[in-house]
């Protein structure tokens, strides 16, 4: 290849480098990426379906449980053996050792708990006292040995412990020791046996050494008590089974929010089909808890939680049922028969004389639950398909009605479950399809109301009365429970008791 051809080849290779991005290319790139960015932003800014607030009253109950746990830990504290040397007049250098030191009495008369905004919880213990008993042994003048028992009176024990609270990998709360300090005002040793009168002369040296040893022991013991909280916190039912169709997720969606008046936990609060977690097509509304503090905890469930339940149960095919005549009380004049319906739609009794009927009531859309002050309503859209039952058992379709209904709900709490009950407020019928010719739909209003009130709604209420589990820890009971319906959420105020 000639030099001219070679140079030309190099120039061609250089000109085939990376293409420059144009303004149009950048615009198309942004148009493709912005929806993804918006989706990610929505996922990370999703509102919780459930909020739990632990008030100062609840913290006080927690303080009592915590101090009781610390008390038990201190009672079984293992005080390490220690030894030393001191020069004591008039006998000279004395070697001593203290062994088998154990707690015989303990008191934590003063303690308090406070919130550290953004950080955690501070537990303070002051003016605690401990009585100890153990053995002593000394050696001096190289050959003289002596031994006996001792009593130690520890006073002015103070502990300041900050507890950090966060969400663990499973969405449960987790406690850990953030910082700790401990001090002992005095530790006085009294020797018994042997030449105790002599050794009590240098007890002040041992007092100081023992006081320092106790101060080192306190924080690890308290940290162990904090760690012992976590097995109980791990019992939060982050995925609670409701029935064979649904489960509800109560995992924390963020770390606890700690402010001066309370600790707030944000939980997902969403129903899912068992084994298939598909997000409900409804957003969780933003809501704030009221400044109430008369109860230990407040559990707020937004309308998102029951609405996600409606989505799940509709997907499961549960929101449909066949109504037959034997399900209607015998005392009712309304019967599911072509004779009864033929009175309002003559062509039914003409085309299907003397036959019993069956009606399929099926949700057409996800029911919509609304919380407004002191009021809970559910808007439901369904279809009601009527069939004539032929002598051979086959079904002949008669008509399909569109049913728009509004029901009011009442809620109650029992055994850590939230249960409900609904009643029909209003109903509107329109004709979807007729297989028997035209007829006046409003003539069937009374019949459909009877079917809804006497059969469909009581069946729904049986299921609602079973309730679904609330978020709970271990063997927790709710007492002094009150319910309030607020804007966009249901508020449960309650005290708690742990039985184990």
């Amino acid at each position: 290849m000639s030099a001219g051809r070679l140079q030309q080849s190099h120039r061609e290779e250089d000109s085939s480098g990376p293409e420059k991005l144009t303004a149009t290319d950048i615009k198309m790139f942004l148009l493709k990426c912005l929806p993804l960015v918006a989706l990610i932003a929505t996922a990370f800014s999703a509102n919780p379906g459930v909020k739990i607030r632990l008030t100062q009253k609840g913290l006080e109950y927690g303080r009592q449980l915590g101090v009781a746990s610390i008390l038990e830990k201190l009672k079984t504290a293992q005080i390490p053996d220690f030894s030393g040397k001191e020069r004591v007049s008039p006998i000279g250098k004395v070697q001593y050792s203290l062994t088998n030191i154990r707690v015989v009495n303990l008191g934590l008369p003063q303690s308090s708990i406070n919130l550290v905004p953004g950080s955690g919880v501070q537990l303070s213990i002051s003016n605690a006292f401990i009585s100890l008993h153990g053995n002593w042994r000394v050696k001096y003048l190289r050959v003289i040995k002596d031994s006996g028992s001792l009593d130690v009176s520890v006073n002015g024990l103070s502990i300041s412990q900050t507890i950090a609270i966060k969400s663990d990998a499973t969405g449960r709360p987790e406690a850990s020791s953030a910082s700790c300090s401990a001090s002992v005002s005095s530790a006085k040793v009294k020797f018994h046996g042997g030449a105790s009168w002599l050794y009590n002369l240098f007890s002040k040296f041992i007092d100081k050494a023992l006081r320092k040893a106790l101060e080192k022991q306190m924080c690890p013991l308290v940290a162990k008590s904090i760690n012992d909280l976590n097995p109980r916190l791990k019992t939060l039912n982050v995925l609670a089974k409701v029935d064979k169709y649904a489960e509800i997720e109560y995992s924390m969606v963020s770390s606890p929010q700690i402010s001066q008046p309370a600790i707030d936990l944000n939980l997902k609060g969403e129903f899912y089909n068992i084994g298939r977690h598909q997000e409900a097509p409804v957003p969780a509304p933003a809501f704030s808890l009221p400044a109430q503090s008369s109860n230990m905890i407040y559990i707020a469930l937004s309308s998102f939680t029951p609405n996600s339940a409606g989505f799940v149960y509709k997907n499961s095919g549960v929101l449909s049922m066949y109504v037959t005549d034997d399900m209607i009380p015998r005392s009712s004049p309304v019967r599911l028969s072509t004779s009864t319906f033929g009175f309002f739609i003559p062509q039914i009794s003409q085309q299907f004389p003397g036959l019993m009927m069956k009606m399929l009531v099926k949700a057409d859309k996800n029911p919509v639950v609304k919380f407004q002050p002191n009021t809970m309503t559910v808007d439901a859209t369904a279809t009601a398909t009527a069939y004539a039952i032929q002598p051979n058992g086959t079904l002949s379709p008669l008509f399909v009605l569109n049913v728009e209904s509004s029901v009011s709900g009442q809620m109650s709490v029992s055994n850590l479950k939230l249960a409900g009950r609904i009643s029909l407020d209003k109903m509107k019928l329109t004709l979807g399809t007729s297989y028997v010719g035209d007829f006046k739909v409003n003539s069937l209003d009374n019949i459909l109301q009877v079917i809804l009130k006497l059969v469909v709604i009581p069946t729904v209420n049986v299921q609602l009365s079973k309730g679904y589990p609330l978020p709970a820890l271990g063997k927790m009971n709710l007492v002094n429970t009150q319910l309030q319906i607020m804007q966009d959420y249901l508020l449960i105020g309650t005290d708690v008791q742990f039985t184990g």
Side-chain angles (χ1 to χ4, degrees):
M1 181 181 291
S2 67
R5 292 289 301 275
L6 184 61
Q7 291 174 357
Q8 183 180 359
S9 176
H10 280 301
R11 286 196 296 268
E12 288 174 353
E13 289 175 2
D14 292 341
S15 65
S16 63
E19 296 182 1
K20 293 182 179 180
L21 287 174
T22 66
T24 302
D25 295 328
I26 294 173
K27 180 179 179 180
M28 292 303 296
F29 175 77
L30 290 175
L31 287 174
K32 291 178 180 179
C33 287
L34 283 176
L36 178 61
V37 173
L39 179 63
I40 294 173
T42 300
F44 279 95
S45 63
N47 295 313
V50 174
K51 291 186 177 184
I52 298 179
R53 172 165 290 175
L54 179 64
T55 65
Q56 188 65 42
K57 182 179 180 181
L59 286 170
E60 176 60 24
Y61 180 59
R63 179 196 65 80
Q64 296 173 16
L65 297 179
V67 168
S69 174
I70 293 173
L71 194 63
E72 291 302 312
K73 290 290 183 299
L74 292 177
K75 285 180 180 178
T76 58
Q78 297 295 318
I79 309 299
D81 298 343
F82 66 95
S83 59
K85 297 178 182 179
E86 292 293 342
R87 185 167 295 278
V88 180
S89 177
I91 59 178
K93 185 182 293 184
V94 177
Q95 295 179 342
Y96 67 88
S97 63
L98 308 182
T99 60
N100 300 323
I101 303 173
R102 63 188 185 278
V103 177
V104 294
N105 191 23
L106 173 66
L108 306 178
Q110 295 179 4
S111 61
S112 63
I113 192 166
N114 295 288
L115 294 173
V116 182
S119 299
V121 179
Q122 185 176 55
L123 175 65
S124 298
I125 296 173
S126 58
N127 293 326
F129 61 86
I130 305 175
S131 297
L132 305 171
H133 183 78
N135 300 320
W136 60 266
R137 184 179 298 275
V138 299
K139 180 180 179 181
Y140 58 95
L141 298 179
R142 296 186 179 182
V143 294
I144 300 177
K145 298 180 180 180
D146 205 353
S147 63
S149 64
L150 60 86
D151 289 311
V152 183
S153 177
V154 179
N155 289 289
L157 170 61
S158 297
I159 303 171
S160 179
Q161 171 71 61
T162 300
I163 305 167
I165 305 173
K166 63 178 182 179
S167 173
D168 70 6
T170 67
R172 294 177 170 90
E174 182 177 69
S176 61
S177 174
S179 64
C180 178
S181 62
S183 63
V184 175
S185 295
S186 67
K188 296 186 179 299
V189 180
K190 182 73 172 178
F191 293 97
H192 306 286
S196 299
W197 63 270
L198 178 61
Y199 311 129
N200 284 325
L201 296 177
F202 70 95
S203 62
K204 63 180 181 179
F205 300 108
I206 299 178
D207 291 348
K208 182 178 179 181
L210 188 57
R211 180 165 55 84
K212 294 297 182 183
L214 288 171
E215 289 176 344
K216 289 181 180 180
Q217 285 287 103
M218 293 302 104
C219 284
L221 286 171
V222 175
K224 190 175 187 308
S225 294
I226 295 170
N227 290 332
D228 288 347
L229 290 175
N230 286 318
R232 176 171 285 179
L233 297 177
K234 299 298 182 189
T235 63
L236 175 65
N237 50 343
V238 295
L239 196 61
K241 184 177 179 180
V242 180
D243 51 34
K244 63 181 180 180
Y245 304 103
E247 55 194 7
I248 183 169
E249 183 176 337
Y250 284 129
S251 62
M252 296 170 62
V253 297
S254 63
S255 291
Q257 298 174 345
I258 302 174
S259 58
Q260 189 54 48
I263 299 177
D264 288 347
L265 306 180
N266 295 323
L267 312 183
K268 185 152 189 147
E270 182 171 2
F271 277 77
Y272 291 106
N273 291 105
I274 290 181
R276 183 166 59 90
H277 284 198
Q278 181 181 358
E279 300 299 320
V282 291
F287 65 98
S288 300
L289 299 185
Q292 298 184 17
S293 58
S294 57
N295 287 112
M296 292 181 184
I297 64 170
Y298 289 89
I299 305 172
L301 301 100
S302 79
S303 55
F304 169 77
T305 299
N307 282 327
S308 69
F311 170 71
V312 165
Y313 286 111
K314 183 179 182 299
N315 281 354
S316 300
V318 178
L319 302 184
S320 66
M321 66 177 295
Y322 276 103
V323 180
T324 55
D325 184 70
D326 60 348
M327 299 167 71
I328 299 175
R330 303 315 305 174
S331 57
S332 172
V334 174
R335 312 310 318 167
L336 264 179
S337 67
T338 56
S339 299
T340 296
F341 278 77
F343 182 80
F344 303 97
I345 309 173
Q347 53 268 43
I348 288 181
S349 57
Q350 294 168 5
Q351 298 177 33
F352 305 95
L355 297 180
M356 300 307 295
M357 291 173 56
K358 176 183 284 189
M359 184 170 287
L360 173 62
V361 180
K362 183 178 182 180
D364 189 44
K365 298 179 181 178
N366 298 327
V368 178
V369 177
K370 296 178 182 177
F371 291 129
Q372 295 174 316
N374 303 317
T375 304
M376 173 187 172
T377 58
V378 184
D379 294 331
T381 302
T383 58
T385 305
Y387 301 92
I389 305 174
Q390 298 289 355
N392 63 0
T394 60
L395 301 178
S396 298
L398 303 177
F399 56 81
V400 180
L401 299 177
N402 301 317
V403 184
E404 295 181 9
S405 61
S406 178
V407 301
S408 57
Q410 299 82 40
M411 309 301 291
S412 61
V413 174
S414 178
N415 297 324
L416 287 171
K417 287 188 174 184
L418 180 64
R421 181 178 180 82
I422 60 172
S423 57
L424 182 65
D425 289 338
K426 56 184 178 181
M427 179 194 73
K428 178 183 177 182
L429 299 179
T430 57
L431 182 62
T433 304
S434 174
Y435 300 96
V436 294
D438 294 335
F439 61 90
K440 293 183 178 180
V441 176
N442 57 8
S443 64
L444 298 180
D445 276 0
N446 289 336
I447 294 180
L448 261 294
Q449 285 203 36
V450 168
I451 291 174
L452 290 179
K453 290 181 177 180
L454 297 184
V455 180
V456 176
I457 288 180
T459 302
V460 173
N461 282 336
V462 168
Q463 298 304 314
L464 293 178
S465 67
K466 297 177 182 178
Y468 70 85
L470 292 167
L473 289 172
K475 297 179 180 180
M476 185 177 85
N477 295 319
L478 305 183
V479 293
N480 304 323
T481 304
Q482 304 173 38
L483 274 71
Q484 302 174 65
I485 301 178
M486 317 292 279
Q487 184 65 44
D488 293 329
Y489 66 96
L490 172 72
L491 183 65
I492 303 170
T494 185
D495 295 334
V496 299
Q497 289 181 345
F498 287 99
T499 58

